[in-house]
PDB file of all heavy atoms in Angstrom:
ATOM      1  N   GLN A   1      11.062  15.649 -13.471  1.00 93.00           N
ATOM      2  CA  GLN A   1      11.401  14.955 -12.234  1.00 93.00           C
ATOM      3  C   GLN A   1      10.545  13.730 -12.125  1.00 93.00           C
ATOM      4  O   GLN A   1       9.329  13.787 -12.035  1.00 93.00           O
ATOM      5  CB  GLN A   1      11.138  15.882 -11.039  1.00 93.00           C
ATOM      6  CG  GLN A   1      12.202  15.893  -9.978  1.00 93.00           C
ATOM      7  CD  GLN A   1      12.167  14.617  -9.089  1.00 93.00           C
ATOM      8  OE1 GLN A   1      11.347  13.765  -9.297  1.00 93.00           O
ATOM      9  NE2 GLN A   1      13.106  14.502  -8.192  1.00 93.00           N
ATOM     10  N   PRO A   2      11.172  12.516 -12.150  1.00 95.00           N
ATOM     11  CA  PRO A   2      10.385  11.270 -12.184  1.00 95.00           C
ATOM     12  C   PRO A   2       9.335  11.159 -11.082  1.00 95.00           C
ATOM     13  O   PRO A   2       8.244  10.646 -11.348  1.00 95.00           O
ATOM     14  CB  PRO A   2      11.456  10.191 -12.093  1.00 95.00           C
ATOM     15  CG  PRO A   2      12.667  10.817 -12.722  1.00 95.00           C
ATOM     16  CD  PRO A   2      12.628  12.250 -12.277  1.00 95.00           C
ATOM     17  N   CYS A   3       9.664  11.577  -9.847  1.00 94.00           N
ATOM     18  CA  CYS A   3       8.657  11.439  -8.786  1.00 94.00           C
ATOM     19  C   CYS A   3       7.453  12.297  -9.065  1.00 94.00           C
ATOM     20  O   CYS A   3       6.293  11.889  -8.860  1.00 94.00           O
ATOM     21  CB  CYS A   3       9.275  11.839  -7.460  1.00 94.00           C
ATOM     22  SG  CYS A   3      10.301  10.540  -6.721  1.00 94.00           S
ATOM     23  N   ASP A   4       7.684  13.512  -9.597  1.00 93.00           N
ATOM     24  CA  ASP A   4       6.560  14.388  -9.924  1.00 93.00           C
ATOM     25  C   ASP A   4       5.750  13.850 -11.092  1.00 93.00           C
ATOM     26  O   ASP A   4       4.494  13.944 -11.148  1.00 93.00           O
ATOM     27  CB  ASP A   4       7.080  15.798 -10.281  1.00 93.00           C
ATOM     28  CG  ASP A   4       7.399  16.641  -9.060  1.00 93.00           C
ATOM     29  OD1 ASP A   4       7.265  16.113  -7.953  1.00 93.00           O
ATOM     30  OD2 ASP A   4       7.815  17.796  -9.203  1.00 93.00           O
ATOM     31  N   VAL A   5       6.403  13.268 -12.077  1.00 93.00           N
ATOM     32  CA  VAL A   5       5.746  12.843 -13.311  1.00 93.00           C
ATOM     33  C   VAL A   5       4.999  11.537 -13.105  1.00 93.00           C
ATOM     34  O   VAL A   5       3.884  11.374 -13.581  1.00 93.00           O
ATOM     35  CB  VAL A   5       6.783  12.711 -14.456  1.00 93.00           C
ATOM     36  CG1 VAL A   5       6.128  12.079 -15.690  1.00 93.00           C
ATOM     37  CG2 VAL A   5       7.349  14.079 -14.796  1.00 93.00           C
ATOM     38  N   GLY A   6       5.631  10.520 -12.465  1.00 94.00           N
ATOM     39  CA  GLY A   6       5.032   9.219 -12.451  1.00 94.00           C
ATOM     40  C   GLY A   6       4.660   8.614 -11.103  1.00 94.00           C
ATOM     41  O   GLY A   6       3.956   7.593 -11.083  1.00 94.00           O
ATOM     42  N   LEU A   7       5.035   9.237 -10.000  1.00 95.00           N
ATOM     43  CA  LEU A   7       4.833   8.626  -8.713  1.00 95.00           C
ATOM     44  C   LEU A   7       3.839   9.367  -7.783  1.00 95.00           C
ATOM     45  O   LEU A   7       2.985   8.806  -7.149  1.00 95.00           O
ATOM     46  CB  LEU A   7       6.157   8.436  -7.960  1.00 95.00           C
ATOM     47  CG  LEU A   7       6.085   7.723  -6.619  1.00 95.00           C
ATOM     48  CD1 LEU A   7       5.562   6.306  -6.706  1.00 95.00           C
ATOM     49  CD2 LEU A   7       7.478   7.756  -5.924  1.00 95.00           C
ATOM     50  N   ASN A   8       4.010  10.689  -7.705  1.00 94.00           N
ATOM     51  CA  ASN A   8       3.287  11.429  -6.687  1.00 94.00           C
ATOM     52  C   ASN A   8       1.773  11.366  -6.785  1.00 94.00           C
ATOM     53  O   ASN A   8       1.064  11.240  -5.793  1.00 94.00           O
ATOM     54  CB  ASN A   8       3.732  12.925  -6.695  1.00 94.00           C
ATOM     55  CG  ASN A   8       5.154  13.092  -6.133  1.00 94.00           C
ATOM     56  OD1 ASN A   8       5.720  12.159  -5.551  1.00 94.00           O
ATOM     57  ND2 ASN A   8       5.703  14.270  -6.335  1.00 94.00           N
ATOM     58  N   LEU A   9       1.273  11.493  -8.013  1.00 93.00           N
ATOM     59  CA  LEU A   9      -0.194  11.468  -8.184  1.00 93.00           C
ATOM     60  C   LEU A   9      -0.794  10.151  -7.801  1.00 93.00           C
ATOM     61  O   LEU A   9      -1.749  10.090  -7.046  1.00 93.00           O
ATOM     62  CB  LEU A   9      -0.559  11.859  -9.579  1.00 93.00           C
ATOM     63  CG  LEU A   9      -2.076  12.013  -9.855  1.00 93.00           C
ATOM     64  CD1 LEU A   9      -2.740  12.992  -8.886  1.00 93.00           C
ATOM     65  CD2 LEU A   9      -2.363  12.362 -11.322  1.00 93.00           C
ATOM     66  N   PRO A  10      -0.331   8.970  -8.350  1.00 95.00           N
ATOM     67  CA  PRO A  10      -0.870   7.732  -7.902  1.00 95.00           C
ATOM     68  C   PRO A  10      -0.686   7.461  -6.429  1.00 95.00           C
ATOM     69  O   PRO A  10      -1.543   6.904  -5.746  1.00 95.00           O
ATOM     70  CB  PRO A  10      -0.121   6.675  -8.766  1.00 95.00           C
ATOM     71  CG  PRO A  10       1.007   7.373  -9.325  1.00 95.00           C
ATOM     72  CD  PRO A  10       0.660   8.824  -9.438  1.00 95.00           C
ATOM     73  N   LEU A  11       0.436   7.924  -5.883  1.00 96.00           N
ATOM     74  CA  LEU A  11       0.692   7.771  -4.457  1.00 96.00           C
ATOM     75  C   LEU A  11      -0.361   8.557  -3.643  1.00 96.00           C
ATOM     76  O   LEU A  11      -0.917   8.019  -2.677  1.00 96.00           O
ATOM     77  CB  LEU A  11       2.072   8.293  -4.133  1.00 96.00           C
ATOM     78  CG  LEU A  11       2.705   7.832  -2.776  1.00 96.00           C
ATOM     79  CD1 LEU A  11       2.933   6.352  -2.793  1.00 96.00           C
ATOM     80  CD2 LEU A  11       4.002   8.583  -2.563  1.00 96.00           C
ATOM     81  N   LYS A  12      -0.666   9.742  -4.070  1.00 96.00           N
ATOM     82  CA  LYS A  12      -1.705  10.550  -3.411  1.00 96.00           C
ATOM     83  C   LYS A  12      -3.036   9.914  -3.478  1.00 96.00           C
ATOM     84  O   LYS A  12      -3.778   9.840  -2.489  1.00 96.00           O
ATOM     85  CB  LYS A  12      -1.694  11.962  -4.018  1.00 96.00           C
ATOM     86  CG  LYS A  12      -2.772  12.890  -3.410  1.00 96.00           C
ATOM     87  CD  LYS A  12      -2.740  14.247  -4.104  1.00 96.00           C
ATOM     88  CE  LYS A  12      -3.830  15.163  -3.522  1.00 96.00           C
ATOM     89  NZ  LYS A  12      -3.807  16.465  -4.187  1.00 96.00           N
ATOM     90  N   ASN A  13      -3.425   9.451  -4.636  1.00 96.00           N
ATOM     91  CA  ASN A  13      -4.739   8.847  -4.859  1.00 96.00           C
ATOM     92  C   ASN A  13      -4.954   7.571  -4.034  1.00 96.00           C
ATOM     93  O   ASN A  13      -5.974   7.379  -3.410  1.00 96.00           O
ATOM     94  CB  ASN A  13      -4.988   8.615  -6.316  1.00 96.00           C
ATOM     95  CG  ASN A  13      -5.152   9.887  -7.115  1.00 96.00           C
ATOM     96  OD1 ASN A  13      -5.462  10.912  -6.584  1.00 96.00           O
ATOM     97  ND2 ASN A  13      -4.907   9.797  -8.426  1.00 96.00           N
ATOM     98  N   VAL A  14      -3.921   6.718  -4.059  1.00 97.00           N
ATOM     99  CA  VAL A  14      -4.027   5.490  -3.290  1.00 97.00           C
ATOM    100  C   VAL A  14      -4.024   5.757  -1.785  1.00 97.00           C
ATOM    101  O   VAL A  14      -4.769   5.154  -1.046  1.00 97.00           O
ATOM    102  CB  VAL A  14      -2.835   4.525  -3.666  1.00 97.00           C
ATOM    103  CG1 VAL A  14      -2.876   3.287  -2.743  1.00 97.00           C
ATOM    104  CG2 VAL A  14      -2.944   4.081  -5.104  1.00 97.00           C
ATOM    105  N   PHE A  15      -3.249   6.720  -1.327  1.00 97.00           N
ATOM    106  CA  PHE A  15      -3.197   7.045   0.067  1.00 97.00           C
ATOM    107  C   PHE A  15      -4.559   7.557   0.570  1.00 97.00           C
ATOM    108  O   PHE A  15      -5.026   7.182   1.629  1.00 97.00           O
ATOM    109  CB  PHE A  15      -2.110   8.138   0.334  1.00 97.00           C
ATOM    110  CG  PHE A  15      -2.030   8.542   1.780  1.00 97.00           C
ATOM    111  CD1 PHE A  15      -1.530   7.640   2.745  1.00 97.00           C
ATOM    112  CD2 PHE A  15      -2.422   9.802   2.188  1.00 97.00           C
ATOM    113  CE1 PHE A  15      -1.454   8.049   4.085  1.00 97.00           C
ATOM    114  CE2 PHE A  15      -2.361  10.178   3.521  1.00 97.00           C
ATOM    115  CZ  PHE A  15      -1.866   9.304   4.459  1.00 97.00           C
ATOM    116  N   LYS A  16      -5.216   8.389  -0.241  1.00 96.00           N
ATOM    117  CA  LYS A  16      -6.522   8.867   0.161  1.00 96.00           C
ATOM    118  C   LYS A  16      -7.485   7.730   0.347  1.00 96.00           C
ATOM    119  O   LYS A  16      -8.329   7.718   1.243  1.00 96.00           O
ATOM    120  CB  LYS A  16      -7.043   9.841  -0.914  1.00 96.00           C
ATOM    121  CG  LYS A  16      -6.356  11.187  -0.915  1.00 96.00           C
ATOM    122  CD  LYS A  16      -6.754  12.074  -2.110  1.00 96.00           C
ATOM    123  CE  LYS A  16      -8.224  12.431  -2.029  1.00 96.00           C
ATOM    124  NZ  LYS A  16      -8.568  13.383  -3.133  1.00 96.00           N
ATOM    125  N   ARG A  17      -7.424   6.744  -0.558  1.00 97.00           N
ATOM    126  CA  ARG A  17      -8.294   5.582  -0.467  1.00 97.00           C
ATOM    127  C   ARG A  17      -7.979   4.768   0.766  1.00 97.00           C
ATOM    128  O   ARG A  17      -8.876   4.258   1.493  1.00 97.00           O
ATOM    129  CB  ARG A  17      -8.181   4.723  -1.715  1.00 97.00           C
ATOM    130  CG  ARG A  17      -8.976   3.426  -1.694  1.00 97.00           C
ATOM    131  CD  ARG A  17      -9.218   2.859  -3.071  1.00 97.00           C
ATOM    132  NE  ARG A  17      -8.034   2.837  -3.899  1.00 97.00           N
ATOM    133  CZ  ARG A  17      -7.090   1.913  -3.827  1.00 97.00           C
ATOM    134  NH1 ARG A  17      -7.182   0.931  -2.971  1.00 97.00           N
ATOM    135  NH2 ARG A  17      -6.054   1.983  -4.674  1.00 97.00           N
ATOM    136  N   LYS A  18      -6.716   4.568   1.051  1.00 97.00           N
ATOM    137  CA  LYS A  18      -6.288   3.801   2.256  1.00 97.00           C
ATOM    138  C   LYS A  18      -6.701   4.490   3.530  1.00 97.00           C
ATOM    139  O   LYS A  18      -7.033   3.857   4.552  1.00 97.00           O
ATOM    140  CB  LYS A  18      -4.766   3.567   2.220  1.00 97.00           C
ATOM    141  CG  LYS A  18      -4.267   2.735   1.086  1.00 97.00           C
ATOM    142  CD  LYS A  18      -4.828   1.296   1.094  1.00 97.00           C
ATOM    143  CE  LYS A  18      -4.221   0.492  -0.075  1.00 97.00           C
ATOM    144  NZ  LYS A  18      -4.773  -0.872  -0.075  1.00 97.00           N
ATOM    145  N   VAL A  19      -6.626   5.848   3.552  1.00 96.00           N
ATOM    146  CA  VAL A  19      -7.065   6.571   4.744  1.00 96.00           C
ATOM    147  C   VAL A  19      -8.589   6.366   4.963  1.00 96.00           C
ATOM    148  O   VAL A  19      -9.010   6.138   6.091  1.00 96.00           O
ATOM    149  CB  VAL A  19      -6.765   8.087   4.566  1.00 96.00           C
ATOM    150  CG1 VAL A  19      -7.428   8.904   5.691  1.00 96.00           C
ATOM    151  CG2 VAL A  19      -5.268   8.301   4.605  1.00 96.00           C
ATOM    152  N   THR A  20      -9.331   6.426   3.902  1.00 94.00           N
ATOM    153  CA  THR A  20     -10.778   6.173   4.017  1.00 94.00           C
ATOM    154  C   THR A  20     -11.056   4.761   4.504  1.00 94.00           C
ATOM    155  O   THR A  20     -11.878   4.544   5.417  1.00 94.00           O
ATOM    156  CB  THR A  20     -11.481   6.390   2.658  1.00 94.00           C
ATOM    157  OG1 THR A  20     -11.300   7.747   2.258  1.00 94.00           O
ATOM    158  CG2 THR A  20     -12.968   6.104   2.769  1.00 94.00           C
ATOM    159  N   ASP A  21     -10.307   3.793   4.011  1.00 95.00           N
ATOM    160  CA  ASP A  21     -10.482   2.419   4.422  1.00 95.00           C
ATOM    161  C   ASP A  21     -10.180   2.280   5.904  1.00 95.00           C
ATOM    162  O   ASP A  21     -10.866   1.573   6.661  1.00 95.00           O
ATOM    163  CB  ASP A  21      -9.578   1.492   3.626  1.00 95.00           C
ATOM    164  CG  ASP A  21     -10.010   1.338   2.171  1.00 95.00           C
ATOM    165  OD1 ASP A  21     -11.117   1.754   1.852  1.00 95.00           O
ATOM    166  OD2 ASP A  21      -9.173   0.878   1.351  1.00 95.00           O
ATOM    167  N   PHE A  22      -9.128   2.974   6.347  1.00 95.00           N
ATOM    168  CA  PHE A  22      -8.683   2.891   7.737  1.00 95.00           C
ATOM    169  C   PHE A  22      -9.812   3.447   8.654  1.00 95.00           C
ATOM    170  O   PHE A  22     -10.170   2.881   9.709  1.00 95.00           O
ATOM    171  CB  PHE A  22      -7.419   3.668   7.963  1.00 95.00           C
ATOM    172  CG  PHE A  22      -6.954   3.791   9.404  1.00 95.00           C
ATOM    173  CD1 PHE A  22      -6.153   2.777   9.982  1.00 95.00           C
ATOM    174  CD2 PHE A  22      -7.362   4.836  10.177  1.00 95.00           C
ATOM    175  CE1 PHE A  22      -5.775   2.850  11.295  1.00 95.00           C
ATOM    176  CE2 PHE A  22      -6.955   4.914  11.527  1.00 95.00           C
ATOM    177  CZ  PHE A  22      -6.151   3.867  12.073  1.00 95.00           C
ATOM    178  N   MET A  23     -10.356   4.607   8.294  1.00 94.00           N
ATOM    179  CA  MET A  23     -11.351   5.265   9.145  1.00 94.00           C
ATOM    180  C   MET A  23     -12.664   4.444   9.167  1.00 94.00           C
ATOM    181  O   MET A  23     -13.275   4.338  10.217  1.00 94.00           O
ATOM    182  CB  MET A  23     -11.649   6.667   8.588  1.00 94.00           C
ATOM    183  CG  MET A  23     -10.467   7.625   8.749  1.00 94.00           C
ATOM    184  SD  MET A  23     -10.871   9.357   8.450  1.00 94.00           S
ATOM    185  CE  MET A  23     -11.329   9.264   6.697  1.00 94.00           C
ATOM    186  N   VAL A  24     -13.009   3.809   8.022  1.00 92.00           N
ATOM    187  CA  VAL A  24     -14.203   3.017   8.025  1.00 92.00           C
ATOM    188  C   VAL A  24     -14.055   1.739   8.848  1.00 92.00           C
ATOM    189  O   VAL A  24     -14.930   1.307   9.581  1.00 92.00           O
ATOM    190  CB  VAL A  24     -14.551   2.607   6.574  1.00 92.00           C
ATOM    191  CG1 VAL A  24     -15.674   1.524   6.503  1.00 92.00           C
ATOM    192  CG2 VAL A  24     -15.009   3.820   5.776  1.00 92.00           C
ATOM    193  N   THR A  25     -12.821   1.175   8.839  1.00 93.00           N
ATOM    194  CA  THR A  25     -12.523  -0.048   9.570  1.00 93.00           C
ATOM    195  C   THR A  25     -12.393   0.167  11.050  1.00 93.00           C
ATOM    196  O   THR A  25     -12.857  -0.640  11.882  1.00 93.00           O
ATOM    197  CB  THR A  25     -11.269  -0.754   8.946  1.00 93.00           C
ATOM    198  OG1 THR A  25     -11.438  -1.001   7.603  1.00 93.00           O
ATOM    199  CG2 THR A  25     -10.969  -2.075   9.677  1.00 93.00           C
ATOM    200  N   HIS A  26     -11.702   1.262  11.413  1.00 91.00           N
ATOM    201  CA  HIS A  26     -11.374   1.488  12.813  1.00 91.00           C
ATOM    202  C   HIS A  26     -12.269   2.464  13.526  1.00 91.00           C
ATOM    203  O   HIS A  26     -12.091   2.731  14.710  1.00 91.00           O
ATOM    204  CB  HIS A  26      -9.907   1.932  12.940  1.00 91.00           C
ATOM    205  CG  HIS A  26      -8.898   0.922  12.492  1.00 91.00           C
ATOM    206  ND1 HIS A  26      -8.570   0.712  11.143  1.00 91.00           N
ATOM    207  CD2 HIS A  26      -8.162   0.029  13.201  1.00 91.00           C
ATOM    208  CE1 HIS A  26      -7.677  -0.222  11.106  1.00 91.00           C
ATOM    209  NE2 HIS A  26      -7.395  -0.664  12.305  1.00 91.00           N
ATOM    210  N   TYR A  27     -13.149   3.086  12.765  1.00 91.00           N
ATOM    211  CA  TYR A  27     -14.064   4.119  13.380  1.00 91.00           C
ATOM    212  C   TYR A  27     -13.324   5.199  14.091  1.00 91.00           C
ATOM    213  O   TYR A  27     -13.741   5.679  15.151  1.00 91.00           O
ATOM    214  CB  TYR A  27     -15.060   3.432  14.312  1.00 91.00           C
ATOM    215  CG  TYR A  27     -15.891   2.336  13.683  1.00 91.00           C
ATOM    216  CD1 TYR A  27     -15.548   0.984  13.895  1.00 91.00           C
ATOM    217  CD2 TYR A  27     -16.995   2.639  12.845  1.00 91.00           C
ATOM    218  CE1 TYR A  27     -16.287  -0.018  13.257  1.00 91.00           C
ATOM    219  CE2 TYR A  27     -17.717   1.641  12.278  1.00 91.00           C
ATOM    220  CZ  TYR A  27     -17.361   0.315  12.464  1.00 91.00           C
ATOM    221  OH  TYR A  27     -18.069  -0.706  11.835  1.00 91.00           O
ATOM    222  N   GLN A  28     -12.227   5.626  13.516  1.00 92.00           N
ATOM    223  CA  GLN A  28     -11.451   6.731  14.108  1.00 92.00           C
ATOM    224  C   GLN A  28     -10.667   7.369  12.992  1.00 92.00           C
ATOM    225  O   GLN A  28     -10.332   6.771  11.978  1.00 92.00           O
ATOM    226  CB  GLN A  28     -10.508   6.203  15.197  1.00 92.00           C
ATOM    227  CG  GLN A  28      -9.443   5.238  14.707  1.00 92.00           C
ATOM    228  CD  GLN A  28      -8.592   4.677  15.803  1.00 92.00           C
ATOM    229  OE1 GLN A  28      -9.083   4.479  16.923  1.00 92.00           O
ATOM    230  NE2 GLN A  28      -7.333   4.473  15.555  1.00 92.00           N
TER     231      GLN A  28
END
C-alpha cells in the first residue's frame, strides 16, 4: 500500500516536529 510504504512514516515524523515547534512558539 503506497501510503503505508512511502508516506505515513515521514508524515508522522514531520508532524511530531511541527507540533513541537508549535508548542515552543505559542507556549500552549
Side-chain angles (χ1 to χ4, degrees):
Q1 222 286 359
C3 282
D4 279 3
V5 172
L7 182 64
N8 288 349
L9 184 57
L11 198 65
K12 178 181 178 180
N13 291 338
V14 173
F15 179 70
K16 288 173 64 176
R17 174 161 47 81
K18 296 297 183 182
V19 170
T20 298
D21 292 345
F22 176 88
M23 292 191 296
V24 170
T25 303
H26 295 83
Y27 302 101
Q28 65 183 34

